[in-house]
Amino acid sequence: MFLVGLSGGIASGKSTVVAVLRELGCAVIDADVIAREVVQPRLKAYQQIVHYFGPEILLESGEINREALGNIIFSHPEKRRLLNSITHPEIQKEMLKQVLKYFVLGYRYVILDIPLLFETKRLTKFMKHTVLVYCDPQTQLARLMKRNGLSQAEAEARIASQLPLDEKRRMAAHIIDNSGDRESTRQQLHVAVTVPRHYSTSSLDWKTPH
């Protein structure tokens, strides 16, 4: 069994790629989903976040207001680093549990969908392959403005808070260019993923380009 690290940037279309991979029968572990799960009330990360960021980042229900917290960390890099130091260990523990689950189920490989794969760099050494979902800067900006209802300045600030896609592109072993439509992306994934005629979840393989 081996691991494939998948990453992208804000509004690069990684969710589209993940959806296609799952249609092909791939096992995908979503770090964003796990990140929401580990900050539920009464859990360790939740308690630490409330301690450091204060009760003003809570909703009336007691859950963390992700939008309010997001606004804080986007404008304060040191607070973003603090939040990451709280959540990342808990996220990684849960991801390991899920990897072991798929190993027991007989999957040949597992794709780890990790937004900060190239920023943190700690996890890349565990990946047999690293894959970046890329799109050109103009498309990224337009998608983010439309998706989140942001002004151009707001969208540019969000994009600037992340490592540029062109820099991530130099770090990745494989590139999926998602600048076009879904069908174009699907065709690229069919090249990257082997799907035997009578496949099972344990017989998929990731091709290494020549």
Side-chain angles (χ1 to χ4, degrees):
M1 183 184 190
F2 61 87
L3 302 178
V4 176
L6 176 70
S7 195
I10 189 168
S12 69
K14 184 162 58 65
S15 59
T16 298
V17 170
V18 168
V20 173
L21 288 170
R22 284 182 168 144
E23 289 172 8
L24 294 172
C26 297
V28 182
I29 297 174
D30 189 332
D32 272 344
V33 171
I34 294 174
R36 289 191 288 271
E37 293 173 348
V38 301
V39 297
Q40 291 301 306
R42 295 183 296 279
L43 296 180
K44 178 182 177 181
Y46 172 91
Q47 294 170 349
Q48 290 180 311
I49 291 169
V50 175
H51 173 75
Y52 286 108
F53 290 88
E56 59 269 20
I57 54 98
L58 297 178
L59 298 167
E60 290 184 6
S61 64
E63 295 183 340
I64 290 173
N65 185 332
R66 292 174 60 84
E67 183 178 355
L69 186 58
N71 289 335
I72 292 171
I73 65 173
F74 271 120
S75 54
H76 298 88
E78 74 283 357
K79 292 186 177 179
R80 186 187 315 128
R81 289 191 291 270
L82 172 60
L83 179 64
N84 289 342
S85 72
I86 293 170
T87 59
H88 285 182
E90 301 303 310
I91 293 169
Q92 290 168 16
K93 282 193 287 187
E94 182 58 32
M95 291 180 77
L96 178 58
K97 290 179 186 177
Q98 294 194 24
V99 167
L100 292 174
K101 177 189 75 174
Y102 285 119
F103 173 74
V104 170
L105 290 173
Y107 281 74
R108 183 165 182 177
Y109 67 85
V110 175
I111 299 169
L112 303 182
D113 176 1
I114 306 173
L116 298 177
L117 177 66
F118 298 109
E119 284 86 343
T120 61
K121 298 181 182 178
R122 291 193 303 272
L123 296 177
T124 54
K125 61 185 176 183
F126 300 110
M127 308 299 164
K128 183 175 181 180
H129 302 291
T130 54
V131 184
L132 176 70
V133 180
Y134 176 86
C135 70
D136 62 76
Q138 295 81 7
T139 300
Q140 184 183 26
L141 180 63
R143 285 176 178 170
L144 182 57
M145 291 172 64
K146 181 178 180 180
R147 188 188 74 185
N148 289 34
L150 300 177
S151 68
Q152 181 172 334
E154 290 170 331
E156 287 174 342
R158 292 289 178 102
I159 292 171
S161 72
Q162 297 186 343
L163 196 65
L165 281 174
D166 283 330
E167 191 169 339
K168 293 181 182 181
R169 189 171 189 166
R170 292 192 290 270
M171 301 178 186
H174 306 264
I175 306 297
I176 301 297
D177 191 336
N178 195 35
S179 302
D181 57 21
R182 183 185 176 96
E183 184 55 33
S184 172
T185 300
R186 177 184 287 275
Q187 289 174 3
Q188 293 176 67
L189 289 169
H190 270 285
V191 172
V193 179
T194 298
V195 187
R197 183 178 176 187
H198 299 294
Y199 72 92
S200 68
T201 51
S202 62
S203 60
L204 295 173
D205 198 2
W206 194 275
K207 290 182 179 177
T208 302
H210 298 293

